[in-house]
Structure formats: C-alpha cells, structure tokens
Amino acid sequence: MGSLAAVRVVIADDHQIWRAGVRADLGDNFEVVDEAGDGAEAVEVINATKPDLVLCDLNMPNGGGIRVATEFRRVSKAEAPGEAISVREREVLQHVARGHTYREIGEELFIAEKTVENHVRNILAKLHLNRKNELMRYAVEHGID
C-alpha cells in the first residue's frame, strides 16, 4: 500500500510570520493550498480551494475563527459526495477501507473480483479521487469502515 496523499491545508491568521512558521513546520504530509490574513479572506480561500483542513486564529479582523469554521463546515458538507454512491458501492468501500484485496472483497460479497474492480473505479469517479489510497483516506475521514 502506498503513502497517503498530502492533507490540503488553509492557514488563516492575521500574523504573516505565524503563518510562515506553521507552513514551515507542517512537513511533507501536508500541502498548504492557500493562506488568509483575516476572516473574510479565509472564507473566500476556503470556497476557492476546498481544503481538507483549516488552521485558523480565533481572533482575526473581519470575522474570527468561529465564522470561518462555520463556512468550512458548510463547504465540507456541500462537497461531501458520499451520498452519491450506491449501497453496494458503500459496501465495497467499507472493505477497501479495511485494507481487503479485491479478491477478498469479492469472496465476502459473493461477486467477481472484476466486479469489485469496476465498483472501485466507479466510486473513485463519483468521489473525484484518483487512487485507491485516496479512497481509503476518504473512507476513514467520513467514518466508513
């Protein structure tokens, strides 16, 4: 199994030096997709980049961290396409999240290994993901296990 894709992060704080320090400290598992210097800018950046995570100061000009958090929650829920997958695809996704092979999934669900592969391909397309490890991360983040 390969490494997980980097977590996409927005850093929102009215102190540029703090933002730069956080950016430097995050490491390889995180990709800072944008930064914001105040609440209003943070909302714009969140809507534009749709990050996985927002690191936010609670006390910023033009709206603090609570308004920003509300917007992030709203955007995250609007973007969560989990309801678009079928019941069978959700079952397959649960097994993928547990690290099962396509053969094991097929045996458990009484379907051909090729059918499992087709389900995974369809799930990836519906969720706008590219790789199996991204699918596993999605399942963990959305409590699908």
Side-chain angles (χ1 to χ4, degrees), residues 82-92 119 123 126:
E83 301 306 313
I85 63 175
S86 71
V87 173
R88 180 56 112 188
E89 289 168 339
R90 186 176 177 86
E91 288 176 327
V92 170
H119 281 308
I123 296 166
K126 287 181 178 182

Side-chain angles (χ1 to χ4, degrees), residues 61-79:
N62 298 321
I66 302 300
R67 191 168 149 297
V68 172
T70 300
E71 182 64 12
F72 177 59
R73 254 191 313 261
R74 186 190 69 73
V75 168
S76 294
K77 285 183 181 177
E79 289 298 309

